[in-house]
Amino acid sequence: MKYPFLLFFFLTFKLYAQKVEVLLIGVSHNYSKSAKQDISAIESKIRKFKPTAFFGEFLSKEDEQHLMDYWCKEENIKRLETLRKNRNITSDKLPNVLDSLQKLSLKNPNNYYLKTDLAHAYYLNQDVSNGHFQFWQVFKRLQQMPNIELENYVNKALSPQLDVKGRSMNRLKTSEYDLIAFPLMLEMKIQELQPMDCQDYDLNWSASALAFYNKFEAFKKDTTASYAAELKKILKRWDKGIEKYLTMDKHSENLTEWLNTDEAAVILSAGDFYFPDLYELKDFPKEEMLSKIHWWMMRNKGMCENVVNSAKSLKAEKVVVIVGASHRKYMQDIFNTMPNVRVRNINEFN
């Protein structure tokens, strides 16, 4: 009995000891109103890094199935119901259908009807990240080579015109995945986008955010309070930060690089949490703010753990992690505390 135990111990230790190198990229979720982006330097760095996996801000299919509510659950359920009405695949048959379509699509990479079918199956399996990856490939094909027959097939199977809210097919078209992740994944022949989001604490976060908002609005309205003049100065600083962000979004062709700077990290953090000196003003709703920060940190911690655990499971030693820029600094700090993990943001990698 001792030898199987020793083998199990050895394999467990080997998995735990595996090193993971993370290239972390903080991004905008919507580049539709941004200046035309030059991402050539980012592409070159990713190619030089040579990742074997990409991670995106999506839930795993298991979490998607088990979480009963979070900020875009309602929209995901609507998509699922629509696609089941369009063409249902029963749960007992879905794994075999997915496996078959994956193999067929690999053998026939230019068959966009197969990619549509594979996207449909991924969505039914609640694997949104990879449903999106397949749909995006079909969408780009139709942009480059219009085909009314294929377009009608896509509309009948996926109804993309109805999927416009939350992490939708519509949002995908101007997202970080369209701009950075999916083109590089295709080039590098990486077949799936790994999910890493954590929404376990979303209801707690929402409750804390609402409690803070209600008290802070009343706090700001008291213009006769002893703190009124200091509050005005702090909010003016906050406004300048937001103005800087909007200017960069509108005019910078290297927005993503800027989003990974310390300057952007301070501005983006203040967008949700203002500034620590504000917390010391009399009657400021500090307890509610600290509750917001707690649940935010828990989400970021969960995302980092998801990345590392999945990377080890996949035996992926080099991974690209693409995440909303407001998470970047927090996640980088957390990754830096994790054993056998090396992290660099896109600006630090040369």
Side-chain angles (χ1 to χ4, degrees):
M1 290 293 291
K2 67 179 181 179
Y3 297 111
F5 171 77
L6 288 173
L7 179 62
F8 172 77
F9 177 80
F10 173 75
L11 292 174
T12 302
F13 177 79
K14 188 175 180 182
L15 182 65
Y16 177 79
Q18 180 193 317
K19 294 180 180 178
V20 178
E21 192 171 350
V22 176
L23 182 60
L24 184 61
I25 309 175
V27 295
S28 170
H29 289 314
N30 185 358
Y31 289 89
S32 64
K33 296 181 181 178
S34 306
K36 182 175 176 56
Q37 295 297 294
D38 176 7
I39 61 162
S40 56
I42 292 174
E43 291 172 330
S44 295
K45 289 181 178 185
I46 293 174
R47 292 185 187 109
K48 184 177 179 181
F49 183 63
K50 297 181 180 178
T52 54
F54 278 69
F55 285 81
E57 205 173 324
F58 293 93
L59 287 183
S60 69
K61 63 181 184 246
E62 293 81 10
D63 281 354
E64 189 66 61
Q65 290 163 2
H66 296 150
L67 278 173
M68 291 297 101
D69 195 12
Y70 70 99
W71 72 272
C72 66
K73 182 69 175 183
E74 183 179 349
E75 287 77 16
N76 287 355
I77 290 173
K78 286 180 180 177
R79 182 199 304 119
L80 189 60
E81 290 174 345
T82 298
L83 269 58
R84 282 173 175 163
K85 288 177 184 176
N86 290 352
R87 185 203 305 160
N88 194 27
I89 304 171
T90 58
S91 58
D92 59 316
K93 294 180 180 179
L94 187 55
N96 288 335
V97 171
L98 257 173
D99 183 63
S100 176
L101 286 170
Q102 287 167 340
K103 291 174 180 175
L104 285 170
S105 188
L106 279 173
K107 290 179 181 178
N108 302 276
N110 295 318
N111 188 325
Y112 290 88
Y113 293 90
L114 274 176
K115 291 185 190 298
T116 302
D117 291 343
L118 183 54
H120 176 264
Y122 272 128
Y123 284 131
L124 290 188
N125 201 38
Q126 300 193 56
D127 185 347
V128 178
S129 57
N130 289 302
H132 276 358
F133 184 34
Q134 296 302 318
F135 167 71
W136 174 85
Q137 292 177 65
V138 180
F139 169 73
K140 299 305 280 189
R141 177 69 171 188
L142 286 170
Q143 275 191 323
Q144 296 159 5
M145 298 181 64
N147 180 327
I148 191 63
E149 184 180 339
L150 176 59
E151 185 177 348
N152 288 338
Y153 189 83
V154 171
N155 289 339
K156 188 173 181 180
L158 302 179
S159 300
Q161 72 279 7
L162 302 179
D163 191 35
V164 295
K165 294 183 179 179
R167 288 176 177 157
S168 64
M169 294 182 226
N170 183 64
R171 171 181 167 178
L172 178 68
K173 298 171 185 178
T174 56
S175 71
E176 63 270 37
Y177 303 102
D178 174 70
L179 183 67
I180 302 170
F182 289 165
L184 269 296
M185 286 173 63
L186 272 184
E187 179 183 315
M188 296 178 170
K189 296 181 169 52
I190 293 175
Q191 301 301 320
E192 291 191 322
L193 176 66
Q194 302 303 321
M196 59 81 178
D197 196 7
C198 173
Q199 292 290 339
D200 294 356
Y201 314 105
D202 186 59
L203 298 183
N204 303 79
W205 157 264
S206 297
S208 296
L210 181 60
F212 170 75
Y213 174 81
N214 289 335
K215 288 192 176 182
F216 189 55
E217 286 302 298
F219 175 79
K220 288 192 295 183
K221 287 176 182 176
D222 189 354
T223 57
T224 63
S226 59
Y227 55 75
E230 186 63 22
L231 174 62
K232 186 176 180 180
K233 290 180 185 177
I234 294 172
L235 292 181
K236 187 175 181 180
R237 192 185 349 148
W238 188 85
D239 288 338
K240 284 185 178 179
I242 300 301
E243 183 180 342
K244 171 72 175 184
Y245 173 83
L246 293 174
T247 298
M248 293 299 294
D249 186 30
K250 185 175 181 180
H251 298 292
S252 175
E253 64 179 15
N254 301 116
L255 174 63
T256 302
E257 283 95 335
W258 179 77
L259 289 174
N260 287 270
T261 63
D262 289 340
E263 179 188 34
V266 171
I267 290 171
L268 292 166
S269 177
D272 280 314
F273 307 117
Y274 293 89
F275 305 102
D277 50 336
L278 178 61
Y279 304 176
E280 303 309 316
L281 296 186
K282 184 177 181 295
D283 297 326
F284 176 79
K286 187 173 181 178
E287 183 176 341
E288 290 77 9
M289 174 57 82
L290 293 179
S291 179
K292 271 185 71 176
I293 293 172
H294 171 75
W295 296 118
W296 178 256
M297 293 305 298
M298 290 295 288
R299 181 183 176 198
N300 286 291
K301 179 174 179 286
M303 290 196 288
C304 291
E305 289 172 347
N306 288 342
V307 168
V308 173
N309 291 338
S310 293
K312 289 181 177 181
S313 177
L314 294 165
K315 295 182 172 57
E317 295 183 356
K318 289 187 173 185
V319 302
V320 170
V321 176
I322 293 182
V323 69
S326 57
H327 296 280
R328 195 275 307 168
K329 179 65 166 63
Y330 297 96
M331 290 181 68
Q332 187 162 358
D333 289 345
I334 293 167
F335 277 132
N336 274 323
T337 68
M338 301 177 81
N340 299 312
V341 175
R342 182 189 185 192
V343 60
R344 286 170 287 178
N345 71 55
I346 192 68
N347 292 339
E348 295 169 338
F349 182 82
N350 294 306

